Amino acid sequence: MNVEIETRWHPSTKLNAIGAALDFTSVDPLPENVTRDQVEEYCYTLEQLYGSYVDELVAETTLSRREAQTWVLRNLVYEGADRLSFEAIGLYIWAIGRSAEGDPLSRTIVDGYHERAVEKIDAAEATIKRAEPPPYPDDLYAEPTMLWVEGEVAERLARRLGPDEGYSDALERLLDETVDAVPLESLLERLRTAGATHVGVRTVNPGWDRELPISVHGPESMDLDVEATAVRVDDTPYPFGIERRPADAGTDSLLTLFAADDESVAPVAGVDRLRRALERVEATLPELVERARTAGVTALAVEDEPVGAGAGLLAVGVVDDPFPDLDRLVLDDRTLAVGAVTTLTAAEYADREGTTLLWTAPDAALDERRELPDDPAARRERFPTAVLHTD
């Protein structure tokens, strides 16, 4: 039983590595090259980060010390630290007690403490949610975010719910209805009438889909006075801004919505083109794998170090631009920007260093095989720590 520890790793990373190598069937469960003093050293740093909060929970709630330790170490992550595995938490509880008795707590034992802590916290939240005067229908607080409103307002909101519509969906719909929005096709027709020769969206801008940066090319005499603050694509309003450009300005970096010199790019086609781009700008990892399969990609990997301000994705296969318009990758508890997507052959990937394999198809011409985990947390933990810290 052995484990390699890099000195530059955060103590939480080191504890996770040691915890993964523990053998609870052994008389001496610690790996051969790891001492109790080393484990205590790593735990001391974590105790400085989390210890005072654990003490507060123990003093002010119904959680026991081990329940509080388990819940805090599993659910709260400081910048620069990794989320601790249950095995690492068992190692921490054993070492931080400064007792020479016993062995590290197994995953099963730690999981039991964590379940009891979660049950107590859920019960406390249920009590808080009923701390105001009635009425409070049983499903009023079914969603995770608590919204404190007067009883009459809650009743009015409940009456406005559509079929199979939750409170968050209803609030979003009602807020959208207050936006001064114009259909995108109508806006494009208005700009064409005003003399625009080319209209496009600068999709190279980070977060371009959250406020559409529209570039309008044409003569200086164009009237671009648009009263609306948002455009509607289907039923969804998107805030937008307009930048005036000369008629001869370059358009290579734009997603074209309308071009006067190209009959195939009429306003109705531009709306459809933008709709497809908006559908592809963000993806979960399972969705990205499905896109990869469809495009003929046989493996997905990620650079171990960030590219720009996000993840550098590697697509193995002879495919040109397999993920058009992809800007963000959604994990279970964070969203990563996609800094770059590189396509390469299996042979080129085999010679590449500093990468982590995320997924492979059954027919991938690689020595290693990796299926995509069903557990969202396991999918997130497959990403290198340096990349996760870019979110």
Side-chain angles (χ1 to χ4, degrees):
M1 193 168 47
N2 204 339
V3 62
E4 296 296 329
I5 300 292
E6 296 287 344
T7 55
R8 60 183 174 83
W9 287 354
H10 191 279
S12 60
T13 307
K14 296 176 182 179
L15 278 186
N16 278 341
I18 297 172
L22 289 181
D23 181 2
F24 292 99
T25 65
S26 174
V27 176
D28 185 3
L30 284 181
E32 295 174 0
N33 60 333
V34 175
T35 67
R36 166 82 179 238
D37 289 343
Q38 286 177 305
V39 174
E40 289 185 351
E41 178 186 343
Y42 306 150
C43 291
Y44 177 76
T45 302
L46 297 180
E47 201 274 338
Q48 299 304 301
L49 292 176
Y50 303 101
S52 61
Y53 187 49
V54 170
D55 291 342
E56 290 179 10
L57 284 178
V58 174
E60 300 178 13
T61 71
T62 60
L63 270 63
S64 70
R65 176 161 296 277
R66 286 191 174 181
E67 290 167 352
Q69 287 174 321
T70 302
W71 188 85
V72 169
L73 292 171
R74 182 62 182 171
N75 296 283
L76 305 183
V77 183
Y78 276 84
E79 183 176 355
D82 288 344
R83 187 183 301 274
L84 288 181
S85 66
F86 283 146
E87 291 85 355
I89 294 172
L91 199 60
Y92 175 91
I93 294 174
W94 166 71
I96 206 66
R98 299 296 186 268
S99 170
E101 303 290 333
D103 294 317
L105 278 62
S106 70
R107 178 186 181 89
T108 303
I109 295 174
V110 175
D111 184 56
Y113 285 125
H114 187 263
E115 286 185 0
R116 290 201 294 273
V118 170
E119 289 173 359
K120 290 181 179 180
I121 291 172
D122 288 345
E125 289 181 350
T127 302
I128 290 294
K129 292 172 185 178
R130 296 298 186 271
E132 291 293 307
Y136 28 69
D138 289 340
D139 61 344
L140 183 60
Y141 298 112
E143 298 184 6
T145 301
M146 291 185 287
L147 180 66
W148 298 99
V149 296
E150 294 180 357
E152 290 184 2
V153 176
E155 291 178 358
R156 290 180 61 191
L157 179 60
R159 289 195 295 269
R160 297 292 297 274
L161 293 178
D164 300 322
E165 188 176 42
Y167 284 92
S168 293
D169 294 334
L171 285 171
E172 189 171 2
R173 174 175 54 79
L174 293 171
L175 290 172
D176 286 347
E177 291 174 0
T178 68
V179 175
D180 184 12
V182 60
L184 177 59
E185 187 174 353
S186 299
L187 175 64
L188 294 177
E189 290 288 0
R190 186 183 306 177
L191 294 174
R192 177 163 66 174
T193 302
T197 58
H198 192 103
V199 180
V201 176
R202 296 189 302 278
T203 55
V204 295
N205 290 20
W208 65 268
D209 58 310
R210 297 189 176 102
E211 183 171 352
L212 300 178
I214 297 177
S215 181
V216 181
H217 299 208
E220 293 186 4
S221 59
M222 286 188 302
D223 180 11
L224 301 184
D225 187 14
V226 179
E227 296 180 356
T229 59
V231 294
R232 288 190 182 276
V233 180
D234 296 332
D235 294 327
T236 304
Y238 293 89
F240 72 97
I242 289 181
E243 179 188 29
R244 181 193 299 266
R245 301 292 301 279
D248 59 353
T251 60
D252 290 345
S253 63
L254 299 179
L255 174 70
T256 300
L257 303 180
F258 160 73
D261 58 354
D262 188 347
E263 295 183 358
S264 66
V265 192
V268 64
V271 173
D272 188 54
R273 181 175 294 185
L274 180 59
R275 180 187 298 112
R276 291 197 305 270
L278 290 169
E279 291 172 350
R280 297 182 302 217
V281 70
E282 193 172 86
T284 64
L285 193 52
E287 289 170 345
L288 192 64
V289 167
E290 286 305 312
R291 293 190 197 179
R293 287 195 179 102
T294 301
V297 172
T298 58
L300 285 177
V302 62
E303 301 275 8
D304 290 345
E305 296 297 328
V307 174
L313 296 179
L314 304 171
V316 179
V318 186
V319 181
D320 182 27
D321 194 16
F323 310 126
D325 305 310
L326 179 66
D327 275 7
R328 296 185 300 275
L329 193 57
V330 181
L331 304 180
D332 70 316
D333 63 349
R334 69 197 69 191
T335 299
L336 300 179
V338 176
V341 177
T342 304
T343 58
L344 64 174
T345 65
E348 289 171 334
Y349 178 75
D351 293 334
R352 190 102 170 203
E353 296 182 351
T355 68
T356 297
L357 200 58
L358 300 175
W359 163 83
T360 61
D363 58 345
L366 299 176
D367 293 335
E368 186 178 358
R369 292 287 185 269
R370 300 210 83 175
E371 295 184 358
L372 195 66
D374 294 330
D375 180 25
R379 293 197 291 263
R380 180 201 65 238
E381 291 171 0
R382 186 161 287 185
F383 282 79
T385 300
V387 175
L388 291 176
H389 288 169
T390 62
D391 67 323

